[in-house]
Amino acid sequence: MAKPLPLTDADGEVRELTEDDFKHFKSFSSLPDELQAVLRGRGKQKAPTKVSTTVRFSPEVLAYFRSTGKGWQKRMDDALKEWLKEHTA
């Protein structure tokens, strides 16, 4: 049996997969449980800590928080929590 071709080229680009490539793949469920857990990431939350909703904000508020980079939604949530602390009787 011929040695399979590398999946990537020298530049790291993935080549188009062939029927022969697919014959070598394993199903996710056939992998060990420990590896499945790692590949799944953090997994399903036992008790969701946040609620998904739709809210409309002014463009300048969104622009500011988005400009702060990754994690901007958490920072917006933290700012709203701080406002609640200061304005709750």
Side-chain angles (χ1 to χ4, degrees):
M1 184 170 167
K3 183 177 176 183
L5 294 172
L7 294 177
T8 57
D9 63 18
D11 295 326
E13 295 293 320
V14 178
R15 66 174 170 76
E16 188 170 335
L17 299 177
T18 65
E19 288 294 323
D20 192 49
D21 291 323
F22 286 103
K23 291 177 187 175
H24 297 287
F25 291 171
K26 293 183 178 183
S27 67
F28 184 79
S29 60
S30 72
L31 299 174
D33 291 339
E34 300 81 26
L35 181 55
Q36 287 184 34
V38 170
L39 294 174
R40 275 193 192 103
R42 76 176 194 181
K44 190 172 182 175
Q45 291 181 348
K46 290 183 174 50
T49 57
K50 296 185 178 174
V51 177
S52 178
T53 187
T54 301
V55 180
R56 295 178 183 267
F57 292 103
S58 62
E60 57 271 18
V61 169
L62 277 181
Y64 169 78
F65 280 98
R66 285 180 174 161
S67 73
T68 63
K70 188 174 180 177
W72 69 268
Q73 291 174 326
K74 182 182 181 327
R75 285 188 290 282
M76 182 181 272
D77 184 56
D78 292 343
L80 289 168
K81 286 178 188 175
E82 188 63 33
W83 186 92
L84 283 173
K85 285 180 192 175
E86 295 173 7
H87 295 85
T88 302

